[in-house]
């Protein structure tokens, strides 16, 4: 079984921190811990099955097919497989304006 290294961009790390803080403040720290555990479980699963995600429809409509997504409602994890690495670019609530988020995060210089 192939094993890939999973890496987070600075933006994806900030996304996780912001989600955690939001849930901790508006729900509870226990709920925030549970959400973080779910995110990390989904992301870690990409180490062995990185190609299982679908193409984000917002990017696919532009002909961009190098990014994948894993959805665990309402959240979306956007990532790219580069050689033996899975690079996580975005972790966001899918109810947000994903077109704007994706264009800001993926189309601007890192």
């Amino acid at each position: 079984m192939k094993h890939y290294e999973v890496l987070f961009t600075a933006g994806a790390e900030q996304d996780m921190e912001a989600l955690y803080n939001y849930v901790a403040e508006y729900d509870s720290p226990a709920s925030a811990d549970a959400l973080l555990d779910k995110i990390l479980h989904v992301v870690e699963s990409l180490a062995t099955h990185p190609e299982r995600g679908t193409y984000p429809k917002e990017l696919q409509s532009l002909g961009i097919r190098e990014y994948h997504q894993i959805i665990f409602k309402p959240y979306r994890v956007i990532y790219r497989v580069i050689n033996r690495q899975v690079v996580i670019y975005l972790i966001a609530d899918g109810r947000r304006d994903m077109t704007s988020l994706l264009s800001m995060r993926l189309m601007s210089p890192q």
Side-chain angles (χ1 to χ4, degrees):
M1 179 179 295
K2 292 182 178 182
H3 220 75
Y4 292 75
E5 180 181 18
V6 178
L7 304 171
F8 291 84
T9 62
E13 288 178 355
Q14 292 167 356
D15 292 340
M16 280 203 312
E17 186 176 332
L19 284 170
Y20 180 90
N21 291 339
Y22 181 86
V23 172
E25 181 177 344
Y26 291 99
D27 190 343
S28 70
S31 293
D33 287 340
L35 174 61
L36 196 60
D37 287 346
K38 285 181 190 174
I39 291 171
L40 292 174
H41 178 75
V42 166
V43 166
E44 288 167 6
S45 74
L46 294 172
T48 53
H49 298 95
E51 300 294 341
R52 76 170 207 253
T54 60
Y55 299 116
K57 64 183 181 303
E58 299 86 353
L59 297 176
Q60 195 170 4
S61 67
L62 299 172
I64 300 170
R65 292 176 152 261
E66 59 261 24
Y67 295 94
H68 298 268
Q69 69 180 353
I70 294 292
I71 298 174
F72 59 105
K73 293 198 186 269
Y75 302 100
R76 292 168 66 180
V77 175
I78 309 293
Y79 65 96
R80 187 173 178 189
V81 179
I82 304 169
N83 299 321
R84 308 287 302 154
Q85 296 177 327
V86 176
V87 181
I88 310 297
Y89 286 90
L90 177 72
I91 302 167
D93 187 320
R95 297 169 290 192
R96 292 180 60 191
D97 178 358
M98 292 302 288
T99 302
S100 295
L101 276 174
L102 290 168
S103 66
M104 285 187 322
R105 192 67 62 85
L106 303 178
M107 308 304 175
S108 63
Q110 299 288 319

